[in-house]
Amino acid sequence: MVRVQRIPLFPLNLVLFPNMPLPLHIFELRYRRMIRRCVEDKEEFGVILHTGKELTRVGCTAKVEGFLKEYADGRFDILSLGHERFMVRRFFEDQSHLEAEVQFFRDLPVSAPELPLLKGLSSRASGGLMSLAALEEFNVDGELLQSLEPEAVSLLICGTGLFSLEEKQTLLEMQNTKERLERGVRRIEDRLKQRRAEKKIEELLGAEIDFSSLMN
């Protein structure tokens, strides 16, 4: 059953995915009012990519998890969490902030014979991400990864820094779990090979090398 709803929008130069944490500094009055209304009414707001030239029509809702800091001049910092993907059917400009009628969606159903393959890809992607996290010294919630279904794992991985902004938007819009997981696994394993080679060279030379500077 198709679910349609009108929601407030927060255009940002980023792509939000389900289960992805999103800290925000809210300073514009219209968005301060919008966020406080969302908190009071226990509603979500939609995040869509604003490239500077145009707005995309597929985004993800965000739940406000809590206020991190409030300032004397009315600004505040919040922590929000990506929740559900949507497609914009039409925009509304009758408020101080942008709103839209949106249709929520998920990936296409998977047949029973495909499930073992998807679970294998999901496990491979999760394990690779944990290995990469250890090499690059960033935090990954292993328990959360293990508890997620393949669709959710594929979306969470695509929200990392392994993909460009354009790639992330494409992956957000995609409705094929297998294809998204395969792309995620390839990118993780390519990055793992690169980082292991860099670590090996560092060890051989006995010093850290700034590889980004060598590329310039």
Side-chain angles (χ1 to χ4, degrees), residues 36-185:
R36 290 199 181 278
R37 192 192 80 188
C38 286
V39 172
E40 290 170 3
D41 296 342
K42 297 182 180 179
E43 295 179 347
E44 299 174 8
F45 61 94
V47 174
I48 53 173
L49 173 63
H50 186 0
T51 64
K53 296 181 179 179
E54 61 180 354
L55 293 172
T56 57
R57 299 186 74 89
V58 174
C60 181
T61 60
K63 294 179 178 180
V64 179
E65 296 292 300
F67 286 80
L68 301 176
K69 184 175 180 179
E70 299 195 48
Y71 301 85
D73 60 3
R75 295 176 295 129
F76 50 83
D77 299 330
I78 62 168
L79 177 62
S80 57
L81 187 68
H83 186 222
E84 196 170 4
R85 290 182 290 163
F86 63 81
M87 179 180 296
V88 173
R89 292 162 59 112
R90 58 174 171 156
F91 291 106
F92 297 100
E93 298 183 23
D94 55 349
Q95 303 289 325
S96 60
H97 57 269
L98 191 63
E99 295 198 348
E101 179 183 83
V102 303
Q103 178 178 320
F104 295 95
F105 70 94
R106 294 193 61 178
D107 283 356
L108 298 173
V110 177
S111 65
E114 290 181 292
L115 283 176
L117 173 61
L118 279 187
K119 289 186 179 296
L121 280 170
S122 180
S123 178
R124 187 173 159 193
S126 299
L129 188 60
M130 293 298 293
S131 297
L132 189 58
L135 278 173
E136 301 202 339
E137 299 181 350
F138 63 83
N139 294 322
V140 171
D141 189 333
E143 289 187 9
L144 174 63
L145 271 177
Q146 295 298 325
S147 69
L148 296 176
E149 293 298 316
E151 178 183 340
V153 170
S154 72
L155 289 165
L156 189 62
I157 287 172
C158 292
T160 66
L162 294 167
F163 297 92
S164 69
L165 202 59
E166 293 76 14
E167 288 173 321
K168 287 180 179 181
Q169 184 63 36
T170 297
L171 291 162
L172 183 75
E173 296 175 10
M174 187 181 292
Q175 290 183 268
N176 187 313
T177 306
K178 178 176 174 288
E179 184 179 348
R180 193 186 302 107
L181 274 173
E182 287 174 337
R183 290 194 190 188
V185 167

Side-chain angles (χ1 to χ4, degrees), residues 17-32:
F17 287 85
N19 296 307
M20 174 180 163
L22 178 64
L24 290 170
H25 176 66
I26 312 297
F27 58 92
E28 287 189 57
L29 180 59
R30 56 179 171 164
Y31 291 120
R32 281 158 33 194

